[in-house]
Amino acid sequence: MLLFLARKTLGMLVTALCLTLIVFFLTNLSPNLEKLAKSELGARITDDEVASWLDKNGYAQPTLVRYGEWLGVLPGWTRDNDGEFTGRCIDGKADAETAASASRFCGVVQGDWGESSVFKRDVGEVVSRALKLTGKLMLCVMLVMVPGALIVGVLAGMREGSRLDRSLSTLSILTTATPEYVSGVVLVAIFASSAVGLKWLNGSATSAMDNITIANFTLPVLTIALYGMGYIARMTRASMTEVMTAQYIRTARLKGVSFYNVVMKHALRNALIAPFTVIMLQFPWLLNGVVIVETLFNYKGFGWTLVQAASNNDIELLLAVSVVSVFVVLISQLISDIGYVFLNPRIRIT
Amino acid sequence: MIDQDYDGPILEIDKLSISFFTRLREIPAVMDFSGKIMPGEALGLVGESGCGKSTVALGVMQDLGVNGRIVGGSIKFKGQELTTMSPDKLREIRGSQIAMIYQEPMASLNPAMKIGKQLAEVPMIHDGITEKEAMQRAFEVVTDVKLPDPKRMLNSYPHQLSGGQQQRIVIAMALMSKPALLILDEPTTALDVTVEAAVVELVKDLGKKYGTSMLFISHNLGLVLETCDRINVMYSGEAVERGSIEEVFDHMRHPYTQALFRSIPLPGADKNARPLIAIPGNFPLPHERPEGCNFGPRCDYFEAGRCDAGFIPMAQVEGNDRHQTRCLRFQEIDWKAPINVGEIKEKPEPGPVVLKMDNLKKYYEVAANALLGGGDKKVVKANETLSFEARESETLAIVGESGCGKSTFAKVLMGLETATDGQILLDNQSIGDVPIENRSTSNVADIQMVFQNPFDTLNPSMTVGRQIMRALEIFRIGKNDDARRQRMLELLDLVKLPRAFADRMPRQLSGGQKQRVGIARAFAGDARIVVADEPVSALDVSVQAAVTDLLMEIQREQKTTLLFISHDLSIVRYLSDRVMVMYLGHVVELGSTDQVFAPPYHPYTEALLSAVPIADTSVTKKHIVLEGDIPSAMNPPTGCPFQTRCRWKSQVAGNKCETEVPKQQIMAQRHQIKCHLGAEDFASMEPVITIAAE
Amino acid sequence: MEPLTWTGTIGTFVNPIFSITAIAFGLAVVAQIVLSFFAPAVTLQANADGTLQQRGGAFGLAEKAVKLLLIANVALILVYLVGGILLPYGDAGIIGAISKRFLPVWIALILTFGVSITFKRRLGLYGKLFDSTVGMIGFALVMFWVFTAVLAGLFDLIATYDPLSQISGLKNKVPGFPVTDERKLGAVPHYLLGGDNLARDVFSRMVYGSTVVISIAPLATLVAFMVGITLGLPAGYFSGRLDTLLTFLSNLILAFPVILLFYLLVTPEIIQTGIPSYMAMILFIFPVVFFVVLLNARFYTQPSKRNPILIGVLAVLGYFYLSTISQPGTVVHFLPAWLDLFDIPGGILVVFVSVVFVNSPTVFRIVRGLTLDLRTRDYVAAAQTRGERPWYIMLWEILPNARGPLIVDFCLRIGYTTILLGTLGFFGLGLPPESPDWGSTINAGRRLLSTYIHPPLAPAGALLTLVLGLNLLADGLREESLKD
C-alpha cells in the first residue's frame, strides 16, 4: 500500500512539474512580458525601454532558469545598480548589506509565491483567502450534489424502465444538458430578477463572502450542483441497472431476499464503485463550474481570482492558481484510485 | 405454510407455456411442457441451446423478468400452485424449499460480500436464526461440500477462490436450508473436465444425503446419464420425449432423440464403420417455427400432410406408463434399423513428416504483482520440452485442461510468439524463432488456424466474402478481384455453404455456419497444417458432428496435417490418429489413439478418461475422482507436475515424484509416458472404460 | 403598429385549456410516481382465456391519465405552431410568428423524417434510430438547429433582422415590440424576441448564433476524433512504452482545468506568438495521416490500385490541409492568396484548435480502452495469423467494431463542445465581442439580468435544446446499438 502511494505521489509530482512548466512557459512568452512592462510603465514606451525594464527586473534570463528560480531550486537573481541592490528575494531596493543577508533561494519550495501585480499583495495570501471562500461553496455543493445524485441514480436504476426511472432519467439528461452559465442565467431570471417579480433570492453572492444566508447562497450552489448532479446520477443509474441484472442479484432474489434488502445489501455497494470514481473525477469539471458561477454571481473566490489573474496576465498569481488547481485535480484522482481499491474487494494491494 | 409431511410429487408441471413479449411480437419459449418429480428423484432436462430448458427452470422459480410471462398451464410445488402465489409467499419458498445452482459460479456470487455472509443470509431469512448460529451452519455445510479449510473459505471473497471452489460454494448456498427441490442449470459447463467430475460426484452424494429432489438441466447426455433417474428431452420449446433414463437411452421413441444420439461420438463409434451423422438443417428460430412438428423439417421420417398438419400431443409409449413421445409416427418407425452409413471413405495413409517439434520451450516473464508493475519477475513455464512430429494427412490431437499450455503452443507455432528454446521444423526449415512478420507468405499460408469461439472468429462488420477475399489478397492468390472472388466462391463450396452467403454479414449466420466460414478462411491459402483450437466445443451437439465431418473430409481431400486441440476425449478418440496429452506445460503421454485410450495409461490420462461423461448405458467406467484443482501455471508444483493430484503417487518409492521431473518412458512403438511408475505398475492398470457385449 | 402578445387571438381560446392540461399533466406524473412506491409488486398472471390481466387500481388510472394528458398537451402545442403558420401575421402572436419564420425548417424536418422512416429498414443504425422515441426526439431537436443554421447561414432565411445592426429606440425592449423606423423594417415589423442592450434583434442573433455553433462544434469534434483515434489505436494495440508515454501526455492535458487552458491559449498575446498556428499544423495533419494509413493498409497488396487512390486522396486532403493552416496575418502564411482555398475568420481558428486540443485526450482514452478490449478477439488473432500488418488490424479489424460506442460518444461530445464554445463566449475569449454566438450573447445579456431577462434567455434556451437533443440522440443510439 505504501509503495502504491509513493508511486502515485511521485507520478503526481512529475505531472505537476510538467504542468507548471507549461503554464510558466505560456505566461512568460515575450508578448506577455511586453504587455506586463507596458502595464507597469505606461503603454507608450519604446521597445528599448521595454527591454531594459525586463532586464532590470530579471525577466531577461532564459525561461528555464527563471522557472528554477520560481520553484526555488535555483538562486534568485540579484542586480547591482551602483550600490543599490535589487533582486528576486529582495523587497524593493536595498543596500549591499541587506542584499547579502537576504536568502539566496526564494521560490515555491521556500513558500514564497511572489506578489500579485493585480491585487498588489502577497500571492499566498490572495490565494488562501480565495480558497477559503471557494471551500465553503464547494462544501455546500458537495452536500447537495452527491447525496442527491446518488439517491436519484439508485431510485432510477433499481427498476429499469419504470415510470420513476424514466422521469428521473429525463430530469438527469436535462440537467446535464444545461451548462452552469445557462442554468445560472435561467435561475437568476426566475428567482432573482425584478422583471418577473418573484425576487425570492439574491442574484449576487457578494454578501455571502461574509455572511452566508439562504437568499444569497442558494442560487450559486444550486447552479453548480445541478450540472454535476445529472451526470453523476446517470452514471449511478447505469451502474445500478447493470448490477440489478447481474447473476448474483438473481441469486440473492432466489435465495428469498426481499427487494429492499436486495437493493440495500447486495446491489448498492457494487453499484457505487463506478460512480465513486466519477464523483472524484468530477472535480476538474466542478472547478470549471466554480469559475463560471463565481464570475456570474460575483463571489470573489478561487474561480474569480483565476479570471482576474488570467485576464490581467498576473503571472505570479496565475502560476499559483494553476498549481493549486492542478493539485486539486491530481489529489482527487489519487483519492479515487485509493477509494476504488477499498470499495472493490477484487483489487487488493499487498 | 407449506406442508412438511407432504408425500406426493415434489414438483408437478402441467402443460406449461411461457412466452417472452417484445415490442414487436410474442415469442413462445416453452410450449405444452409437462413433468413430474417425485421425492428423492432426479429429473434431467436435455436439449440444445435455445430449446427453452432454462426458461422452464426460471418459470418454476417464478423469475421470468419483465418480459417473460406464463401464458398457460400450472406449476405445482408440493401440491401448491406457484403461478398464482403472492410475492411474499414465493419469497418464503425460494431459497428454503427450492434452491437453484447456475452455470457461472463466479457471476452468481456477490463479488463485494464475504462468502460466509452470503451463506449465512439464507437461514437468517428463512429460519430466523441469529448470525452466529447461521455462521455455524455455514461452516458445517462448507465442510460437507468438501472444501479445504472452511474457516478461511467463509472469510474470503469469491474472487479469491478457483472456479471449482466457487461452484462448491454455490452448491453449499443452495443446501443451506435443506431444500426439497434443487434446480441445477448447467452447473458444470464452465468447469474443466476433471473438476466437473468431482462436482457431479458431490452433487450426487449430497442429493442422497439430504434426500433432495433434483431438476438437472444440461446439454450433455452423458452427464444426465450419470446423475438422473428420469429424462425429459426438449426441442425448440417443447418436450419431445420423456421417460426413465434406461427407456430413453436404449429404446428411444422420438426421431430427435435418435438423431441426437447418432450425432455424438460414443466409445464404440469408429469414424469409418459408424461415422457421426449430423442432423441436417438448422435449429428453428422461436418466431420461425414450422407448423406441426417442430422437428419436421429436419426429420428423416417426415411425412408431409401429416407431420405438418397441426398440434401434436404427447403420446404414451405402451409397455411403460411413464414413457411418452411427441411423435405421430413412433409406432411405424423401425427403431432397430441399421444406420445408413453411406460409402465408407478410406483415409489415406500418413505421408512424410511435415512438422517436427524438437525440445520446444516457451517461458514467459511476468511481473509478480501486475497492479504495481516492476518488482520481481516470475517465469511461467508455459511449454516444457515439447517434442513430436506430425505427418502429412495425419490428425494429431492435443488434449488437456485449462492452463496446460496448448494455446501457447499454438501461438508459437503460428509465429505470434517466438520459442524460448528448441526448434520447430517445417519441411526441415526452422521457423520456431521467426516471428510471423518475417515469415514468407507461403510459410504463413501453410500454417493456419481455426478458432474456438464461432461468435468471435469472424469480424462482425465485414461480409463473409470480403473476409475470405482478404485472406486471398494477403496470401497473394489470384491475379485480380474477379479471380479472387471466383476462388472465394469455390471455398464456400468446399465448406458446403451456399454461394449467396458471400454477401451476408456474420451476424446473419448461425454458429456452425460461422465456424465453416472460419474453416474456409483457414484453407484459403491451401494450408498444409491446420491448427484447430477446440473448433466444435462451443457448438451444439448436432452441429458439432457436421463441422467435425467437414474438417475430416477436407483433410482427406487436401492431405492436410490437422492439429486438433481439445479437452473432449470422445471426439478426440473419434477423429485422431495420434494423441498428445498435456498437463501444466508438459507432455505427459504421447502415442497412437489406441495406445493412449488403453492401458497402460499415464495417471492423468486415466483420470481424464474416467472424468468424461459418456452417454451410453452399456459402458461401465472405473470411478476415479481427482482431488483439488489444477495448480496455477504461475506456481507449479515441484517435481512431477501431476504429483499433487496423482492417485498412484504412493506406488513410487521415496519422494521422487515431489523432487524430480520424470523422464519420458518409451512404452511401445512411438508411445511415451512421462511418469516415475515402474513397468509392473503400468502392467497392473485396468482399462477405464469397458463396453458391455451386446 | 401594435406590439405583439405571446399567443395572439389563438391564445384567448387555447391558453386557459392549455394551462389546465399542463397543470393536470404535472400532477398526474407526480401522482403516478408517488403511487408506484406503494402499488403492490406486479404479478404477471394470465387469465384462463389467454388474455393478460390488466393492472387496475389508482396506479393504473394515473398511468392512463398521464398518457392522455401528454397527448392533449402535444396537440395544443401543435395548435399554437400550426395556427401561426396558417393564420395571417400577428393573429397567432409571437409564438405563431416565430413558427411561421421557421416554416422552411419545419418542411425540411418533415421531409427528413418522412424519408427516413419510410426507408428505415435499409438504413442500418441510422434507420434503427427511428425505432426509439427518445432517439427521434433528440434527432429532431438536433436537426432543427442544423437546418436553422444552414438555412440562415447560406440562404438568409428565417432571421428577420441583421444580427449586428442596431435600431434606435429598441434598446432592451420586450418581445413583440414593433419597429417604428420604416426605413429599417426587416422581414417582420416586430422584434419578435425583443431587443438587446445594443438595440439588436434577439431573435435574429439567436438564429445566426446557431450558424456559428453548428459550423464549429461538429467539425472540431470530428478532428478531435481523428486525433484521438490515430493515437489511441496504436496505444491500445501495442501497449508498452508508446502507451505509457501517450497516456501520460493525455493525462497531463486532462489534469488542466479547461478554463485555465483557454485563458492561456486564447489570448491575443499567445496568438501573436503563433502557438495556435503551430498547434493547428500538428492537429490538422492527423486527418490526412489517418486517411492515408487507412487506405494504404487496405490496398498495399495491390500497388496498381493503391497508387492512384493514394495520390488522389493525398492531393485533395493535402491541399485542404495547406489552405487551412496557411492564414494571412499569422506566422504560418506561405500560400499566395490565389492558391489559398479559404481563410478562416480571425479568432475562429484559435477557438477551433483549442477545442480540438481539449477534446482529443478524452477520445484517445476511449479509443485506447476499446482497443485493449477488442484486440483479444479471435478475428484479430486470425488476422495476425495470416500475417496482416498492425495498421490494417487496427483500422479495419478493430476500429469498425468499436464504432457503436464511438458514434454515441461523438454525439455526446458535440454537445460538450457546444457547451465549451459557450463557455469561451461567456468569458469573452476568442470570438469577437459582437459575434452572435450563444455564449457571447448570454455573457452580454447577463449583466442586465436583474432588470431585463429576455436577451440572454433566448440563446440560453437555444443552447439548452441543442445539447439536450444531442444527449437524447446519443441515448437513443446507445439503446438501439445495444439491441443487436
Side-chain angles (χ1 to χ4, degrees):
Chain A
M1 190 71 206
L2 275 177
L3 189 67
F4 171 78
L5 271 180
R7 283 175 61 94
K8 281 278 168 195
T9 323
L10 193 73
M12 228 171 86
L13 281 177
V14 173
T15 316
L17 275 182
C18 289
L19 285 176
T20 45
L21 183 60
I22 295 170
V23 177
F24 196 87
F25 173 74
L26 286 174
T27 46
N28 281 282
L29 285 168
S30 57
N32 281 330
L33 294 177
E34 202 176 306
K35 192 180 164 195
L36 180 70
K38 282 178 177 165
S39 69
E40 292 289 318
L41 298 178
R44 288 204 204 136
I45 53 170
T46 62
D47 286 356
D48 286 344
E49 282 171 306
V50 169
S52 83
W53 184 87
L54 290 178
D55 186 43
K56 244 196 261 170
N57 288 289
Y59 290 108
Q61 304 169 81
T63 312
L64 268 181
V65 173
R66 287 194 296 114
Y67 178 66
E69 289 177 3
W70 174 80
L71 264 184
V73 293
L74 288 180
W77 57 272
T78 50
R79 210 184 157 83
D80 179 3
N81 293 331
D82 307 327
E84 278 195 335
F85 286 84
T86 52
R88 187 180 160 80
C89 309
I90 305 166
D91 282 338
K93 290 173 185 153
D95 49 29
E97 207 178 312
T98 341
S101 67
S103 54
R104 277 172 26 84
F105 297 92
C106 48
V108 175
V109 177
Q110 285 78 28
D112 187 343
W113 293 83
E115 202 194 76
S116 156
S117 64
V118 179
F119 298 102
K120 304 289 177 210
R121 268 190 296 153
D122 201 39
V123 166
E125 192 189 316
V126 175
V127 171
S128 60
R129 190 181 130 75
L131 270 180
K132 243 178 249 160
L133 289 172
T134 300
K136 281 192 235 168
L137 180 64
M138 291 296 268
L139 186 70
C140 294
V141 169
M142 280 304 190
L143 285 179
V144 174
M145 181 176 79
V146 174
L150 292 184
I151 291 171
V152 167
V154 169
L155 283 180
M158 68 185 189
R159 284 191 217 263
E160 195 185 359
S162 68
R163 176 77 60 182
L164 181 70
D165 174 23
R166 272 182 279 160
S167 313
L168 290 177
S169 296
T170 315
L171 207 70
S172 319
I173 290 187
L174 194 67
T175 64
T176 34
T178 322
E180 291 92 346
Y181 52 88
V182 170
S183 55
V185 163
V186 173
L187 287 175
V188 170
I190 295 174
F191 293 110
S193 175
S194 57
V196 178
L198 275 178
K199 286 211 79 167
W200 292 344
L201 303 166
N202 275 1
S204 153
T206 316
S207 58
M209 290 194 288
D210 306 316
N211 176 27
I212 293 177
T213 61
I214 288 191
N216 62 23
F217 220 47
T218 310
L219 285 183
V221 169
L222 209 60
T223 308
I224 304 181
L226 272 182
Y227 185 50
M229 205 159 126
Y231 188 63
I232 300 175
R234 285 178 78 187
M235 284 291 159
T236 316
R237 177 192 173 269
S239 173
M240 189 73 191
T241 49
E242 195 191 317
V243 168
M244 286 307 282
T245 55
Q247 183 94 61
Y248 58 83
I249 293 297
R250 169 171 278 176
T251 311
R253 208 166 49 228
L254 297 190
K255 273 199 287 195
V257 183
S258 65
F259 184 76
Y260 175 80
N261 278 332
V262 166
V263 172
M264 298 307 285
K265 282 193 187 157
H266 288 266
L268 210 55
R269 179 166 169 189
N270 289 300
L272 286 187
I273 294 171
F276 175 76
T277 324
V278 172
I279 294 172
M280 290 326 282
L281 296 181
Q282 191 72 4
F283 262 95
W285 308 117
L286 281 182
L287 214 62
N288 248 353
V290 166
V291 177
I292 293 171
V293 165
E294 289 186 358
T295 310
L296 188 63
F297 290 95
N298 207 17
Y299 182 78
K300 290 177 179 132
F302 186 72
W304 184 83
T305 312
L306 188 154
V307 173
Q308 295 306 316
S311 44
N312 296 305
N313 201 44
D314 186 341
I315 297 174
E316 304 279 349
L317 187 56
L318 198 52
L319 277 169
V321 165
S322 8
V323 170
V324 172
S325 45
V326 164
F327 265 97
V328 167
V329 172
L330 293 178
I331 287 173
S332 65
Q333 278 176 5
L334 184 69
I335 295 176
S336 109
D337 283 347
I338 297 171
Y340 188 72
V341 170
F342 274 107
L343 273 174
N344 191 349
R346 266 175 285 192
I347 299 175
R348 270 277 176 263
I349 292 157
T350 41
Chain B
M1 197 59 219
I2 305 277
D3 182 12
Q4 294 296 341
D5 306 320
Y6 177 80
D7 61 350
I10 293 291
L11 186 73
E12 209 177 352
I13 304 174
D14 189 36
K15 298 202 171 72
L16 177 70
S17 293
I18 298 174
S19 288
F20 288 96
F21 291 84
T22 67
R23 234 185 312 172
L24 297 175
R25 57 170 88 86
E26 172 187 350
I27 298 173
V30 175
M31 294 158 305
D32 190 37
F33 180 94
S34 304
K36 198 191 280 180
I37 304 178
M38 301 303 284
E41 202 176 53
L43 170 68
L45 205 53
V46 176
E48 297 173 90
S49 56
C51 72
K53 53 192 193 299
S54 295
T55 313
V56 171
L58 292 176
V60 172
M61 287 310 251
Q62 292 287 304
D63 190 61
L64 289 164
V66 190
N67 300 322
R69 261 164 235 195
I70 291 174
V71 290
S74 81
I75 307 170
K76 282 204 182 80
F77 174 73
K78 287 189 175 174
Q80 295 217 0
E81 181 62 49
L82 288 177
T83 49
T84 49
M85 199 172 271
S86 74
D88 284 336
K89 203 105 186 263
L90 266 177
R91 203 159 53 234
E92 239 168 62
I93 292 183
R94 287 176 181 164
S96 71
Q97 299 276 332
I98 311 178
M100 191 158 172
I101 295 170
Y102 315 87
Q103 186 167 352
E104 290 278 340
M106 182 68 195
S108 44
L109 292 170
N110 189 339
M113 206 189 241
K114 284 191 178 161
I115 281 167
K117 216 175 154 199
Q118 295 192 46
L119 288 177
E121 201 180 32
V122 181
M124 280 165 70
I125 298 168
H126 294 295
D127 306 340
I129 58 178
T130 65
E131 185 163 356
K132 210 170 155 219
E133 287 171 304
M135 279 310 232
Q136 184 54 39
R137 172 115 44 110
F139 182 84
E140 284 160 19
V141 179
V142 170
T143 319
D144 263 2
V145 293
K146 295 184 190 149
L147 276 171
D149 200 355
K151 264 253 133 55
R152 190 178 57 87
M153 287 288 159
L154 291 179
N155 245 325
S156 349
Y157 285 102
H159 66 99
Q160 293 165 321
L161 273 55
S162 72
Q165 289 173 335
Q166 285 169 356
Q167 194 58 296
R168 280 164 198 261
I169 291 294
V170 176
I171 293 171
M173 190 149 75
L175 294 173
M176 280 302 284
S177 273
K178 303 196 171 56
L181 176 66
L182 191 58
I183 301 176
L184 301 104
D185 188 0
E186 306 258 10
T188 55
T189 312
L191 305 176
D192 273 314
V193 193
T194 51
V195 181
E196 169 184 87
V199 169
V200 167
E201 173 86 6
L202 176 78
V203 168
K204 258 164 51 180
D205 289 351
L206 290 176
K208 281 204 190 81
K209 183 176 169 188
Y210 289 86
T212 317
S213 306
M214 282 192 269
L215 178 61
F216 193 97
I217 297 168
S218 180
H219 66 278
N220 189 330
L221 284 166
L223 261 186
V224 172
L225 169 67
E226 280 182 17
T227 47
C228 300
D229 309 304
R230 299 180 53 74
I231 184 174
N232 200 331
V233 182
M234 284 187 81
Y235 180 79
S236 191
E238 287 176 335
V240 291
E241 183 167 6
R242 63 166 175 265
S244 69
I245 290 279
E246 296 75 29
E247 281 282 321
V248 174
F249 272 59
D250 297 337
H251 309 285
M252 70 240 351
R253 282 296 173 266
H254 193 279
Y256 173 65
T257 320
Q258 188 188 43
L260 206 55
F261 275 97
R262 285 182 178 178
S263 65
I264 53 175
L266 295 173
D270 172 53
K271 58 186 149 187
N272 298 319
R274 185 196 168 284
L276 301 186
I277 299 172
I279 305 178
N282 278 312
F283 202 77
L285 292 172
H287 54 274
E288 290 167 0
R289 290 193 180 115
E291 182 73 8
C293 179
N294 282 342
F295 188 60
R298 305 173 72 187
C299 182
D300 289 340
Y301 310 106
F302 181 73
E303 191 185 322
R306 186 163 158 215
C307 292
D308 54 3
F311 176 76
I312 299 167
M314 274 298 214
Q316 192 67 36
V317 177
E318 60 269 34
N320 190 313
D321 64 330
R322 285 180 74 188
H323 187 184
Q324 291 168 309
T325 174
R326 198 183 289 277
C327 181
L328 290 172
R329 305 191 57 205
F330 77 97
Q331 279 158 321
E332 303 155 27
I333 297 170
D334 176 13
W335 295 101
K336 289 258 179 321
I339 303 165
N340 179 14
V341 172
E343 66 172 308
I344 293 172
K345 289 166 203 146
E346 260 321 301
K347 204 188 152 176
E349 278 302 302
V353 173
V354 183
L355 183 75
K356 192 169 160 30
M357 299 268 162
D358 199 12
N359 277 321
L360 182 79
K361 282 182 191 163
K362 177 68 194 174
Y363 295 171
Y364 285 106
E365 274 199 351
V366 280
N369 194 326
L371 197 66
L372 298 180
D376 295 336
K377 292 269 162 105
K378 235 179 176 174
V379 175
V380 172
K381 297 177 180 174
N383 284 152
E384 189 74 281
T385 54
L386 223 66
S387 304
F388 69 88
E389 39 191 54
R391 293 162 189 271
E392 191 185 84
S393 65
E394 185 182 51
T395 307
L396 175 71
I398 302 170
V399 176
E401 296 173 277
S402 58
C404 73
K406 48 192 184 181
S407 310
T408 309
F409 155 75
K411 274 190 191 158
V412 176
L413 177 60
M414 306 301 302
L416 299 181
E417 309 260 2
T418 50
T420 313
D421 195 19
Q423 278 191 316
I424 302 176
L425 298 171
L426 173 70
D427 301 330
N428 284 321
Q429 182 195 350
S430 175
I431 54 167
D433 43 9
V434 188
I436 192 155
E437 52 269 30
N438 298 337
R439 290 189 183 176
S440 68
T441 308
S442 72
N443 262 351
V444 171
D446 273 349
I447 311 179
Q448 281 296 301
M449 191 155 171
V450 177
F451 293 88
Q452 173 175 13
N453 187 347
F455 300 96
D456 222 25
T457 181
L458 299 182
N459 184 340
S461 40
M462 224 189 257
T463 61
V464 165
R466 182 70 246 134
Q467 303 200 33
I468 298 176
M469 276 170 71
R470 177 67 194 181
L472 293 171
E473 266 170 34
I474 212 83
F475 297 146
R476 306 199 187 259
I477 291 169
K479 277 193 209 67
N480 50 31
D481 274 353
D482 289 337
R484 277 188 286 268
R485 184 161 179 87
Q486 192 50 41
R487 174 87 184 109
M488 180 265 293
L489 294 173
E490 286 166 19
L491 280 166
L492 285 182
D493 295 343
L494 179 72
V495 296
K496 295 179 179 151
L497 285 177
R499 289 190 167 197
F501 274 36
D503 300 318
R504 298 256 175 102
M505 290 310 255
R507 68 181 135 81
Q508 296 167 289
L509 271 57
S510 71
Q513 289 165 340
K514 281 184 199 166
Q515 212 55 328
R516 283 167 194 262
V517 177
I519 293 170
R521 188 177 58 187
F523 282 94
D526 294 314
R528 291 166 56 212
I529 300 170
V530 168
V531 182
D533 185 1
E534 309 239 9
V536 295
S537 66
L539 300 176
D540 271 320
V541 186
S542 64
V543 186
Q544 277 187 6
V547 174
T548 313
D549 269 354
L550 175 74
L551 259 180
M552 287 167 63
E553 200 181 316
I554 298 178
Q555 184 195 21
R556 267 197 295 271
E557 280 165 20
Q558 315 236 341
K559 294 190 188 276
T560 322
T561 308
L562 191 62
L563 298 185
F564 191 87
I565 300 178
S566 178
H567 68 273
D568 183 352
L569 284 173
S570 315
I571 205 133
V572 164
R573 176 186 359 229
Y574 173 71
L575 63 71
S576 60
D577 302 310
R578 288 162 56 70
V579 179
M580 179 164 102
V581 184
M582 288 183 76
Y583 188 78
L584 281 184
H586 293 259
V587 176
V588 294
E589 187 166 356
L590 174 64
S592 71
T593 308
D594 296 338
Q595 287 166 340
V596 172
F597 280 84
Y601 307 106
H602 183 279
Y604 175 63
T605 316
E606 187 189 26
L608 207 55
L609 277 172
S610 160
V612 177
I614 297 168
D616 191 337
T617 47
S618 61
V619 166
T620 40
K621 269 195 315 187
K622 222 167 98 188
H623 209 70
I624 302 163
V625 173
L626 288 185
E627 294 294 315
D629 287 318
I630 303 166
S632 143
M634 295 271 282
N635 203 356
T638 55
C640 173
F642 189 56
Q643 51 108 342
T644 49
R645 302 167 78 197
C646 183
R647 71 179 189 122
W648 292 84
K649 196 171 150 190
S650 55
Q651 303 293 318
V652 177
N655 56 356
K656 227 166 142 192
C657 288
E658 282 160 37
T659 49
E660 240 177 86
V661 179
K663 296 231 160 27
Q664 292 281 8
Q665 298 191 41
I666 309 293
M667 306 305 297
Q669 217 208 338
R670 296 179 72 200
H671 183 203
Q672 347 175 327
I673 293 177
K674 206 183 221 177
C675 189
H676 285 306
L677 284 176
E680 62 280 10
D681 291 320
F682 280 127
S684 73
M685 282 184 180
E686 294 161 5
V688 174
I689 295 169
T690 39
I691 305 169
E694 299 237 348
Chain C
M1 267 314 240
E2 286 286 302
L4 286 182
T5 58
W6 279 103
T7 47
T9 42
I10 295 187
T12 43
F13 311 107
V14 188
N15 282 355
I17 310 174
F18 184 64
S19 38
I20 291 169
T21 52
I23 291 168
F25 176 69
L27 287 178
V29 169
V30 172
Q32 198 200 9
I33 288 171
V34 172
L35 282 171
S36 76
F37 281 107
F38 303 108
V42 185
T43 44
L44 299 167
Q45 181 55 43
N47 297 332
D49 56 346
T51 56
L52 292 165
Q53 205 169 308
Q54 262 284 316
R55 223 184 311 169
F59 185 76
L61 211 67
E63 202 168 54
K64 257 188 206 159
V66 167
K67 234 175 232 165
L68 282 175
L69 286 167
L70 184 68
I71 294 170
N73 276 325
V74 171
L76 287 174
I77 291 172
L78 274 180
V79 168
Y80 286 123
L81 295 181
V82 177
I85 296 168
L86 299 179
L87 292 175
Y89 177 82
D91 282 2
I94 298 173
I95 292 176
I98 290 177
S99 169
K100 202 174 218 164
R101 290 306 302 169
F102 277 115
L103 187 62
V105 176
W106 300 136
I107 295 171
L109 269 183
I110 290 168
L111 279 179
T112 315
F113 269 74
V115 172
S116 305
I117 290 176
T118 321
F119 299 109
K120 70 176 175 183
R121 292 282 159 252
R122 282 191 252 155
L123 292 170
L125 183 62
Y126 169 76
K128 275 202 246 157
L129 188 64
F130 294 90
D131 287 336
S132 143
T133 322
V134 169
M136 276 202 283
I137 295 174
F139 186 67
L141 285 173
V142 173
M143 288 321 284
F144 176 85
W145 287 112
V146 170
F147 286 134
T148 307
V150 170
L151 293 171
L154 297 181
F155 304 106
D156 272 332
L157 291 167
I158 299 163
T160 47
Y161 286 85
D162 184 82
L164 300 180
S165 63
Q166 311 170 346
I167 298 176
S168 58
L170 285 166
K171 187 174 163 185
N172 288 329
K173 285 295 181 264
V174 291
F177 202 82
V179 176
T180 39
D181 193 339
E182 296 277 333
R183 288 162 298 146
K184 292 197 172 169
L185 218 52
V188 295
H190 294 93
Y191 265 13
L192 288 175
L193 289 176
D196 66 4
N197 64 338
L198 291 172
R200 297 169 297 195
D201 182 28
V202 170
F203 174 72
S204 303
R205 284 181 69 74
M206 177 189 80
V207 169
Y208 278 110
S210 70
T211 316
V212 179
V213 172
I214 295 289
S215 57
I216 298 180
L219 214 57
T221 315
L222 193 67
V223 176
F225 261 75
M226 298 276 181
V227 177
I229 289 172
T230 317
L231 294 176
L233 281 174
Y237 185 73
F238 294 118
S239 300
R241 264 160 223 261
L242 178 78
D243 182 28
T244 318
L245 177 75
L246 287 174
T247 310
F248 178 75
L249 284 180
S250 79
N251 283 344
L252 210 62
I253 302 173
L254 287 175
F256 245 119
V258 179
I259 291 191
L260 187 64
L261 203 63
F262 281 154
Y263 261 117
L264 291 175
L265 283 179
V266 194
T267 57
E269 288 77 28
I270 298 277
I271 295 166
Q272 214 180 318
T273 61
I275 287 178
S277 304
Y278 295 125
M279 281 171 65
M281 277 177 76
I282 297 170
L283 292 175
F284 289 132
I285 196 85
F286 278 101
V288 184
V289 171
F290 177 82
F291 281 109
V292 169
V293 175
L294 184 81
L295 292 168
N296 184 44
R298 171 78 178 71
F299 292 113
Y300 79 95
T301 49
Q302 312 162 56
S304 59
K305 214 173 185 179
R306 171 192 65 175
N307 296 343
I309 293 179
L310 269 194
I311 290 170
V313 168
L314 252 182
V316 174
L317 283 180
Y319 186 39
F320 265 95
Y321 171 67
L322 295 177
S323 303
T324 315
I325 59 165
S326 166
Q327 295 295 333
T330 66
V331 281
V332 186
H333 177 48
F334 49 87
L335 284 185
W338 56 270
L339 207 69
D340 203 345
L341 260 186
F342 45 82
D343 285 321
I344 298 165
I348 289 193
L349 184 73
V350 186
V351 169
F352 201 98
V353 168
S354 26
V355 169
V356 171
F357 186 68
V358 169
N359 269 325
S360 353
T362 328
V363 180
F364 164 83
R365 271 182 142 181
I366 297 169
V367 174
R368 177 179 167 273
L370 288 168
T371 311
L372 276 176
D373 173 29
L374 288 173
R375 73 167 177 176
T376 57
R377 299 298 165 90
D378 278 351
Y379 53 83
V380 172
Q384 286 169 338
T385 56
R386 62 170 188 261
E388 294 283 7
R389 297 185 184 181
W391 277 105
Y392 175 85
I393 296 178
M394 285 185 249
L395 289 169
W396 290 92
E397 302 277 349
I398 293 178
L399 187 61
N401 295 305
R403 67 179 187 278
L406 286 183
I407 290 172
V408 170
D409 188 69
F410 186 70
C411 291
L412 287 177
R413 204 144 289 284
I414 296 176
Y416 177 62
T417 309
T418 310
I419 292 180
L420 272 188
L421 287 176
T423 313
L424 278 172
F426 184 78
F427 287 106
L429 292 169
L431 298 166
E434 74 278 2
S435 153
D437 76 286
W438 296 334
S440 310
T441 331
I442 294 173
N443 184 33
R446 74 176 165 96
R447 293 170 211 282
L448 294 169
L449 198 57
S450 55
T451 36
Y452 304 107
I453 59 165
H454 63 274
L457 279 186
L463 192 133
L464 174 63
T465 44
L466 176 59
V467 179
L468 180 68
L470 285 162
N471 272 290
L472 292 175
L473 179 63
D475 254 35
L477 282 173
R478 179 175 11 230
E479 200 180 298
E480 291 303 318
S481 70
L482 283 179
K483 266 189 194 161
D484 242 345

